[in-house]
Amino acid sequence: QVQLVESGGGLVQPGGSLRLSCAASGRTFSSYAMGWFRQAPGKEREFVAAINRSGTNTYYPDSVKGRFTISRDNAKNTVWLQMNSLKPEDTAIYYCAADTVYLAVVTSGGYGMDAWGKGTLVTVSS
């Protein structure tokens, strides 16, 4: 089982940027597709981004497309989420997740993922 630890959250003004990191340990990182999800207070978990095992394919929902970029470095066992043009509605706890099936990361809503991190809080406010 892979273990995941997120970092990089914080307070940022609207229009600003943040880069989240997710460091993995345990089983071979390159065996997993990776995803970012978020959950705002009182709201359901939302899919944010996915990347396949090799890093050649990515997918985003319309809510973040063009503003967020997911990337990974298998040699560093790390996946990142670059977030630009942040809006107050992006405020949430952001979680990274791993699964051996890329399609599951994209379509499952996070259910049944092989591993989760504990999350990092992103607050977008002036």
Side-chain angles (χ1 to χ4, degrees):
Q1 187 86 9
V2 65
Q3 290 81 44
L4 306 173
V5 179
E6 303 95 336
S7 61
L11 174 64
V12 62
Q13 292 187 341
S17 297
L18 275 178
R19 189 191 197 201
L20 305 184
S21 299
C22 175
S25 61
R27 288 190 59 186
T28 306
F29 178 65
S30 61
S31 298
Y32 293 91
M34 299 296 296
W36 286 94
F37 296 80
R38 67 186 181 187
Q39 189 163 20
K43 294 189 176 181
E44 294 197 355
R45 182 172 56 208
E46 179 186 11
F47 164 69
V48 173
I51 190 165
N52 68 344
R53 286 180 275 184
S54 63
T56 54
N57 286 319
T58 58
Y59 187 81
Y60 309 91
D62 288 344
S63 57
V64 306
K65 192 177 295 181
R67 299 189 299 123
F68 290 11
T69 302
I70 188 171
S71 60
R72 69 188 293 164
D73 185 334
N74 287 343
K76 295 182 178 180
N77 287 0
T78 303
V79 62
W80 296 276
L81 184 68
Q82 178 68 43
M83 305 186 294
N84 299 328
S85 303
L86 283 162
K87 306 174 182 180
E89 52 263 43
D90 294 319
T91 295
I93 299 174
Y94 283 71
Y95 301 88
C96 68
D99 198 272
T100 55
V101 180
Y102 174 62
L103 191 59
V105 178
V106 174
T107 63
S108 71
Y111 292 98
M113 295 291 97
D114 289 337
W116 286 94
K118 292 185 177 181
T120 186
L121 176 63
V122 173
T123 304
V124 184
S125 176
S126 55

